[in-house]
Amino acid sequence: EIKEKRPGVIKNFGVQLRWYSRTGPVNTSKEMRDTHLSRAVSRIFNDLAGQHRASFSNVQVIRTCTKDAKDCTRPPVTQFHNSKISFPIIHRVRVPKKSKRAVLVAKAPQTF
């Protein structure tokens, strides 16, 4: 198992790999954004299994590296390089004051 030096920081990982399709071997490189290298590689394995039906035993990892933001080229990775990116809060549960809160309630809370 590979231990990360800074596991709380999101990094861009590049993975060069070779996998065997039904027509022959394919050399390719993938980019993934994650906090751990091992998790990024497993996500790439799952991605290959979903898109190309490549099984785990048919994929060989040749090289892995950490990439800077300026070196990334794939749109799914570069779309998160904006420093002013924001995500809307879509599922907020209102918590009433302790004096107004009931112990047992027969309905679900409203989340809109």
Side-chain angles (χ1 to χ4, degrees):
E1 184 176 336
I2 300 171
K3 298 288 186 186
E4 292 292 328
K5 197 179 288 187
R6 296 171 59 198
V9 177
I10 297 177
K11 296 172 273 301
N12 304 311
F13 293 108
V15 179
Q16 290 183 349
L17 46 97
R18 175 188 186 114
W19 59 279
Y20 293 94
S21 67
R22 293 184 181 126
T23 58
V26 178
N27 294 319
T28 185
S29 64
K30 298 270 187 187
E31 291 177 357
M32 189 64 65
R33 235 173 114 75
D34 212 317
T35 55
H36 293 80
L37 177 62
S38 58
R39 194 179 314 157
V41 171
S42 67
R43 285 178 60 191
I44 288 174
F45 272 87
N46 289 337
D47 185 45
L48 285 171
Q51 288 184 353
H52 303 289
R53 298 190 59 139
S55 65
F56 180 81
S57 60
N58 290 339
V59 180
Q60 298 173 349
V61 176
I62 298 170
R63 184 181 312 146
T64 60
C65 65
T66 305
K67 289 188 164 188
D68 292 331
K70 61 180 173 30
D71 297 332
C72 295
T73 57
R74 311 289 166 115
V77 175
T78 58
Q79 69 181 348
F80 294 109
H81 290 167
N82 185 3
S83 62
K84 295 181 180 166
I85 192 168
S86 64
F87 300 98
I89 300 173
I90 57 172
H91 186 76
R92 178 177 285 173
V93 177
R94 294 188 213 133
V95 179
K97 293 181 188 176
K98 194 156 190 151
S99 62
K100 306 264 184 193
R101 193 178 311 160
V103 177
L104 299 172
V105 180
K107 64 177 186 175
Q110 293 181 346
T111 59
F112 54 87

